[in-house]
Amino acid sequence: MDKDSGLTIKAARREERSASAEALLNATAQLLSEATTIDVSLNEISQRASVNSAMIKYYFGNKEGLLLAVLERDAETAMTALKALSEMDIPAQKKLKIHINGIINAYYRSPYINRLIHYMVESGSPAASKRVAQIFIEPMIEVYRDIVAQGVREGVLKDVDPGLLYYCLVGAADHIFHAGYSVPSTLGVAKLDDGIKQKYAEMVCDIYLRGLAP
Amino acid sequence: MDKDSGLTIKAARREERSASAEALLNATAQLLSEATTIDVSLNEISQRASVNSAMIKYYFGNKEGLLLAVLERDAETAMTALKALSEMDIPAQKKLKIHINGIINAYYRSPYINRLIHYMVESGSPAASKRVAQIFIEPMIEVYRDIVAQGVREGVLKDVDPGLLYYCLVGAADHIFHAGYSVPSTLGVAKLDDGIKQKYAEMVCDIYLRGLAP
């Protein structure tokens, strides 16, 4: 075997490895989206991913590591978009509207996000809790601070505490998905769909944009 | 033993029994308030209540029965107050304001309520899920429907879907307590106190009353 083909094999193996890790992350996210709890077994995950379950230990250490990696991937996508939004040269109210639609869409697509955050925080290690705060909460508070400050300068937003606004807004955006079990009692339908999600996003935007005006 | 003293002994026993059940419910609510998860053991509960743990089985069947009884007691208090509010002869906006303060105070006092609801729904039996919807959600939706209809007649509220309003408002009221672990990252304090709770309630009232105006 010459040096070049050795390198090619190594590169191919690296790609295969990262494809397996990716498949495990995708399978976990899929199974979590389908379930109403985070009780998804490593067996189910490896079967769905068509990847040997020993690979979970190899890539992620254990189930906590795998779940944290799923959250990190979701956080990276969400926070990259949020940071870009924050830096855009558009009015603060427009930013807030795009952000509200963005988080409602994210929770609709991945209803497990807040469930998983709570699980990591309540049952995971203190290190996992800290990591969750670092990847999800701290970047959001920073952006909320910037958007509120911009809105105050533009005369379109009240000078509210960004931390309190975080709870108020994230709670409103998330609860319909987090408490999805109750949809038959509240809305008289079997499950949420695009139409309801859209109507909900419009209502939340309307309440918050007008409710936060000075 | 004459007939009268026999009756007195029976009444005393009944009272003692209900005092034990009450002590178990109080101990459970206390322990749940102190914890950040619903992982409270039957042992801890019986110790805190100073009641033999066999009495849990006797009164409540099992842990699910005990937790459901705690929720039912909280629901009864909350729903009695909500029903009375709904029937009061005051403007719809005033009702909404009292209600928002009421749920924020309830979650502050008993931060385990929504955690317990989710636990019952996710890990409990289908019968427990149905019961939770019956005792908590259905009465709230009914009151929301009445308040929105009154507010529309009075020209002070938009004609929003009461079910969607439920998620939006309950999510906003609850999230700061449900996600209490994140308070150091968001607000820079170790834990919530009366002052923050009060400030939060004022912000939520302000956003929702102005945000829901026509």
Side-chain angles (χ1 to χ4, degrees):
Chain A
M1 193 164 71
D2 67 23
K3 198 183 154 208
D4 271 1
S5 67
L7 281 176
T8 312
I9 288 168
K10 267 192 201 154
R13 277 202 188 132
R14 206 160 44 229
E15 221 161 83
E16 197 185 302
R17 267 213 297 278
S18 91
S20 300
E22 192 74 12
L24 287 167
L25 291 173
N26 289 339
T28 309
Q30 257 179 33
L31 286 164
L32 287 171
S33 295
E34 291 161 18
T36 58
T37 76
I38 54 85
D39 283 333
V40 170
S41 77
L42 296 184
N43 232 1
E44 280 176 287
I45 294 169
S46 75
Q47 272 181 17
R48 176 73 65 101
S50 306
V51 171
N52 190 303
S53 68
M55 290 293 105
I56 295 177
K57 192 169 184 339
Y58 178 75
Y59 289 122
F60 305 104
N62 53 25
K63 191 176 174 183
E64 180 176 308
L66 172 62
L67 294 177
L68 194 55
V70 169
L71 265 187
E72 283 183 331
R73 196 174 63 158
D74 285 328
E76 205 180 301
T77 312
M79 295 310 145
T80 305
L82 186 61
K83 194 79 195 146
L85 173 66
S86 165
E87 286 163 0
M88 279 166 79
D89 187 21
I90 55 173
Q93 279 193 318
K94 180 92 187 154
K95 286 185 186 177
L96 200 56
K97 200 172 167 178
I98 294 174
H99 170 60
I100 293 173
N101 277 286
I103 48 174
I104 288 179
N105 281 322
Y107 291 141
Y108 180 61
R109 250 191 340 262
S110 309
Y112 60 84
I113 291 183
N114 272 318
R115 197 177 298 137
L116 202 46
I117 288 180
H118 289 132
Y119 172 78
M120 296 306 291
V121 167
E122 296 187 352
S123 321
S125 62
S129 278
K130 210 175 153 191
R131 186 82 191 110
V132 165
Q134 269 173 357
I135 60 179
F136 266 108
I137 300 170
E138 288 164 18
M140 275 182 88
I141 298 293
E142 203 179 308
V143 170
Y144 277 40
R145 189 171 291 120
D146 290 347
I147 293 181
V148 170
Q150 184 190 340
V152 170
R153 282 197 306 276
E154 292 171 357
V156 295
L157 292 180
K158 280 181 98 166
D159 192 7
V160 292
D161 183 309
L164 295 182
L165 179 61
Y166 165 85
Y167 288 115
C168 192
L169 194 46
V170 168
D174 166 53
H175 196 61
I176 194 168
F177 307 109
H178 194 58
Y181 66 87
S182 58
V183 163
S185 302
T186 50
L187 306 175
V189 295
K191 64 193 284 281
L192 295 173
D193 59 29
D194 279 2
I196 296 174
K197 187 260 295 173
Q198 204 43 46
K199 206 176 144 198
Y200 191 65
E202 280 162 23
M203 190 180 91
V204 176
C205 277
D206 189 52
I207 291 175
Y208 279 79
L209 285 175
R210 298 195 306 134
L212 287 167
Chain B
M1 192 167 73
D2 66 24
K3 199 180 150 208
D4 271 1
S5 68
L7 282 176
T8 313
I9 289 168
K10 267 191 201 157
R13 276 201 190 133
R14 205 157 47 227
E15 220 160 83
E16 197 184 301
R17 266 212 299 277
S18 90
S20 300
E22 193 73 12
L24 288 167
L25 291 173
N26 290 340
T28 309
Q30 258 180 31
L31 287 163
L32 287 171
S33 294
E34 291 161 19
T36 57
T37 75
I38 53 87
D39 282 333
V40 170
S41 76
L42 295 185
N43 233 2
E44 281 176 286
I45 293 168
S46 75
Q47 271 180 17
R48 176 71 66 101
S50 306
V51 170
N52 190 303
S53 68
M55 290 293 103
I56 295 176
K57 193 168 181 338
Y58 178 75
Y59 289 122
F60 305 105
N62 54 26
K63 191 177 174 184
E64 181 179 306
L66 172 62
L67 295 176
L68 194 55
V70 169
L71 265 186
E72 284 184 331
R73 197 174 63 159
D74 286 329
E76 204 180 302
T77 311
M79 295 310 145
T80 304
L82 186 60
K83 195 75 196 150
L85 172 66
S86 165
E87 286 164 0
M88 277 166 80
D89 187 20
I90 54 173
Q93 278 193 317
K94 180 91 186 156
K95 286 184 185 176
L96 200 57
K97 199 171 167 179
I98 294 174
H99 170 60
I100 292 173
N101 277 287
I103 50 176
I104 288 179
N105 281 322
Y107 291 141
Y108 181 61
R109 250 191 339 262
S110 309
Y112 59 83
I113 292 183
N114 271 318
R115 196 177 299 135
L116 201 48
I117 288 180
H118 289 133
Y119 172 78
M120 295 306 291
V121 166
E122 295 187 353
S123 321
S125 61
S129 278
K130 210 174 151 192
R131 185 85 191 111
V132 165
Q134 270 174 356
I135 61 180
F136 266 107
I137 300 169
E138 288 164 18
M140 276 183 87
I141 298 294
E142 202 178 308
V143 169
Y144 277 40
R145 190 171 291 122
D146 290 347
I147 293 181
V148 170
Q150 184 190 341
V152 170
R153 280 196 309 274
E154 292 170 356
V156 294
L157 293 180
K158 278 181 100 166
D159 193 8
V160 292
D161 182 312
L164 295 182
L165 178 62
Y166 165 86
Y167 289 114
C168 192
L169 192 47
V170 168
D174 166 52
H175 196 62
I176 193 168
F177 307 108
H178 194 59
Y181 66 88
S182 58
V183 163
S185 301
T186 51
L187 306 175
V189 295
K191 64 194 283 282
L192 296 172
D193 59 28
D194 279 2
I196 297 173
K197 187 259 297 173
Q198 202 47 44
K199 206 176 145 198
Y200 191 65
E202 280 161 23
M203 191 180 93
V204 176
C205 276
D206 189 51
I207 292 174
Y208 280 79
L209 285 176
R210 297 195 307 135
L212 287 167

